[in-house]
Structure formats: structure tokens, C-alpha cells
Amino acid sequence: MAIALEKIKQTLRKFAEVEARGVSPLYDHLATHAAEDDDVAALLTDARGGEARGTLLFAAAHRLVQADPIHPLSRYYPSVGGFDGVDSETWPLFRSFLLERADQAREIISTRYTQTNEVRRAALLYPAVTAAAKEAGGKIALLEVGCSAGLLLGLDRFGYRYQCDGGEQLAAGPAKAAVGLHCAIDVAPGAKLPKLPKKVAVAARAGLDRAPVDLSDEDELAWLEACVWADQVDRIRLLRTAAAEQRKHAPELIAGDAVDDLASAASRLPEELPLVVLTSHALAYLGDRRADFVAELARLSSSRPVWWVSQEFYRAGLETVLPGRDDLSSDDAAAGEPAMAVLGLTSWVGGEPEARALARTAPHGQRMTWLP
């Protein structure tokens, strides 16, 4: 228990320093304090194996605040109408609120997974998906692994505006899309801006997740919203808009394991279509099975053309197929700066991976730096 608790506290400390700092003042503040508080951190000891994460703790708290929006803590939660910034009362209120509801928090933590459908990540994925489709020479099938509610599977229906240095803007996607995404883009030395086609032809799509989210269930949708960081209301609004659009074009979502059930899920998509597999901050949840996932992709490539579009931290994703690129790692992120992930595109020739790092990416889709 003591060892497990200390590991959880280290995880919370890293969440504050690497993920929340510079992105979410509220979650940075809460995680920093939770990392030093045995009672609050201990709530995560009820999480399923590998799930004791800051995102789960704060999603559980967010869900409880949603259910009690008149509690004084809610004034720090913009998602329920709060408008106060972090101050000396924030942590004491949060701590007492959560510990008074410890049984409810443990129930959520022990039965739920973090289900973050960050719609803005579609703006990061779109250039890689279109590149894969161009190489495939036509229509493609999309399979998202770790799909949650499958919102990213609608990326061909979203509108995109990429703001470049100097005021130039790149546009893609349908002109009258219900979901419009904005992303800042710059270029690393020696790189050129990507050429983005206006559309991509997705002929079939499906998602694979250990616990797919049914958007027709209001409680499931509320949990999905609770997984969005509470001081980022624009993300919640975008989630709701994308969820409403997805209900009109609901893809098949398959319950299963990312490794064991990958081939079965792929078989549900027409075999004559080249397959593009998406992962977006999903491989961190696979732990030491990441290499097994990549091996399954290689096996799939023996029977049909396969591209893997990955938007992951380098150590969790692209390092498996593109080792030795420490320059892509987020290990040395500057203090106060959010860690950057990597957009990768991998295909297989004769069973061997051909991997490319396309861009450095902000975790929630805010910006990207295109690489040479």
C-alpha cells in the first residue's frame, strides 16, 4: 500500500509538471497539492490496473461537481459556470468536497476508464491521414484504436483552419462543416508547410475500445464531458457539437482489446480498402504491450495495405518503429511548458516498418510544428 501510494503521488506530481502546467491552471494547482496529500492520492488505489492517473482522479471529481453544481467548489469550475481563478481556498474546498464524497469517488475510480475524446486532435491527424490516403491512391478505411466515443472518426467531415506564421492560413475540409477546428502551425528549420487536400475519401470506418462510449446515453455523455479538463470550456462546447454531429453518422464501435482484438476489428472493414489505423494518446495505456500492438499492425500489413497514423508521445508511440530519435522525446520539456507529442506516419513494406515523424504536436490540438 505504501509503495503503491508513493507511486501514485509521483504520478500526480508528473501530471502537474508535464501535462497540466501551462495548459490548465486549475488542474496544475490541484495535482500539485494532491501529490502531497495521502488521503486524496489514496483514492486512486481503487483504480483498475494501470489506471491510477491524474486524469482519472480529476475526471471523477469533475463528475461529482457536475452532480452538485451549487457547491462552493463550483465557482472554480468554469464548466458549470464558475469564474473564479485559483486562490488560497481552492485546494481546501476541493479536498473537503472530494473526501466527503470518498465512497462515490472510489466507485467512479474503480469502475471507469479515462475517456478523453479530444476533438481538436483531428486537426493534428488530418494532414497524416490525407498523406496516407494519397499514398493509398484513393478511398480508405479508418480504424481508430482507443476510440472512446469515436468522434475522431468523423475527421473527414470537419472543417480546418491552420494559422501560419505571417498570417497565412491553410483551409481544408467541407466549407459548411458543423465542426470547425483551428490549429496554429509553424515549421522547423528546413521544413516546408504541408500541402493539404481539401478532402479525404473515407469509405468505411470503425472504432475499437475496451469500453466504447454510447453517446445516446446521457450518463455516458456526462462522463465524457467530465473527462475534459474543467477550466477548458471551449473543449467541452466542441465535444458537444461533435457528439451531436456524430449521432447523425454513428460509426461502428467495437468493444475489445487493442492488441488481441485488432485483427478482428480490422476484418469488419472491407478488405479491398487500404486500412489507416489511428491512435491518439492511446498507447500510453498499453504499457509494455506497445510492441505487441505494432507487431499486430505488421501482421495486418501482410494481407492488406496498412498505414498507422500516430499522435503520441515519442516514447509511447513512434519510438517502437523509429528508434534513436531522442530529439523527438518530451523528456526534457522546459519547466512550465507542456510536453509535445509527435505525429507519425508508418507503413509496412515486406513486413518492415517505414516510419516518418511529420510534426511535433501540442497534446490537445492547439498547435503543431511541421518537421523536415
Side-chain angles (χ1 to χ4, degrees):
M1 172 68 174
I3 296 174
L5 183 58
E6 187 54 39
K7 184 176 180 181
I8 287 170
K9 291 166 72 175
Q10 290 173 1
T11 299
L12 289 167
R13 198 171 295 114
K14 183 176 181 181
F15 172 80
E17 295 172 354
V18 175
E19 297 186 52
R21 193 146 302 162
V23 177
S24 170
L26 177 62
Y27 281 20
D28 180 2
H29 177 79
L30 296 178
T32 298
H33 283 278
E36 306 303 326
D37 190 300
D38 286 1
D39 293 334
V40 172
L43 294 173
L44 278 174
T45 60
D46 287 300
R48 307 183 202 195
E51 295 302 311
R53 304 171 184 274
T55 47
L56 182 58
L57 177 67
F58 298 120
H62 194 184
R63 185 70 187 95
L64 294 172
V65 173
Q66 288 175 336
D68 190 2
I70 62 171
H71 189 279
L73 179 62
S74 67
R75 73 176 192 258
Y76 300 105
Y77 275 67
S79 60
V80 292
F83 50 82
D84 284 6
V86 169
D87 59 29
S88 61
E89 295 183 27
T90 309
W91 172 250
L93 271 173
F94 177 87
R95 185 180 191 277
S96 62
F97 174 86
L98 198 55
L99 294 180
E100 286 166 5
R101 295 159 180 78
D103 289 344
Q104 293 168 267
R106 289 191 184 96
E107 171 66 18
I108 294 171
I109 287 168
S110 65
T111 58
R112 288 285 192 178
Y113 295 108
T114 304
Q115 295 277 12
T116 304
N117 248 195
E118 179 50 72
V119 181
R120 290 187 301 181
R121 289 177 183 158
L124 308 176
L125 296 167
Y126 184 82
V129 172
T130 56
K134 181 178 180 180
E135 292 175 12
K139 297 179 179 179
I140 59 170
L142 278 184
L143 174 62
E144 185 188 2
V145 177
C147 65
S148 187
L151 299 183
L152 294 178
L153 288 167
L155 59 77
D156 57 316
R157 301 188 180 103
F158 301 163
Y160 302 95
R161 295 293 182 273
Y162 297 91
Q163 191 65 43
C164 313
D165 287 347
E168 182 184 358
Q169 192 175 85
L170 305 178
K176 296 183 178 180
V179 178
L181 303 176
H182 295 261
C183 178
I185 184 170
D186 61 1
V187 295
K192 296 181 180 179
L193 286 171
K195 294 182 179 180
L196 298 179
K198 296 296 184 182
K199 60 183 181 179
V200 59
V202 179
R205 67 198 81 207
L208 175 64
D209 197 280
R210 57 190 168 181
V213 174
D214 179 3
L215 290 177
S216 66
D217 184 323
E218 288 300 323
D219 188 56
E220 292 296 300
L221 181 57
W223 173 245
L224 204 60
E225 292 182 4
C227 289
V228 179
W229 298 2
D231 54 357
Q232 299 181 353
V233 291
D234 286 347
R235 290 175 61 196
I236 295 177
R237 293 192 193 102
L238 194 57
L239 170 65
R240 291 171 180 164
T241 302
E245 183 67 13
Q246 194 250 41
R247 291 192 194 103
K248 302 175 186 176
H249 314 279
E252 180 182 14
L253 303 182
I254 303 158
D257 181 79
V259 177
D260 298 339
D261 299 306
L262 181 62
S264 175
S267 71
R268 307 277 276 269
L269 296 165
E271 62 181 11
E272 67 272 14
L273 291 174
L275 179 66
V276 177
V277 178
L278 305 178
T279 66
S280 180
H281 290 275
L283 266 63
Y285 296 91
L286 291 184
D288 58 8
R289 302 176 71 215
R290 295 166 192 157
D292 296 334
F293 172 75
V294 172
E296 282 299 309
L297 289 175
R299 276 190 276 275
L300 280 177
S301 73
S302 66
S303 59
R304 68 194 299 178
V306 172
W307 284 260
W308 174 31
V309 172
S310 56
Q311 202 263 317
E312 310 275 353
F313 289 115
Y314 174 69
R315 300 295 184 203
L318 207 59
E319 185 179 34
T320 309
V321 290
L322 190 65
R325 289 292 304 274
D326 290 345
D327 58 304
L328 299 174
S329 171
S330 60
D331 296 346
D332 298 323
E337 289 292 324
M340 297 291 278
V342 183
L343 177 66
L345 180 60
T346 305
S347 57
W348 279 262
V349 178
E352 295 299 317
E354 293 188 355
R356 289 161 280 168
L358 301 182
R360 300 299 303 276
T361 57
H364 296 134
Q366 311 95 306
R367 67 183 189 276
M368 68 167 72
T369 298
W370 205 255
L371 300 173

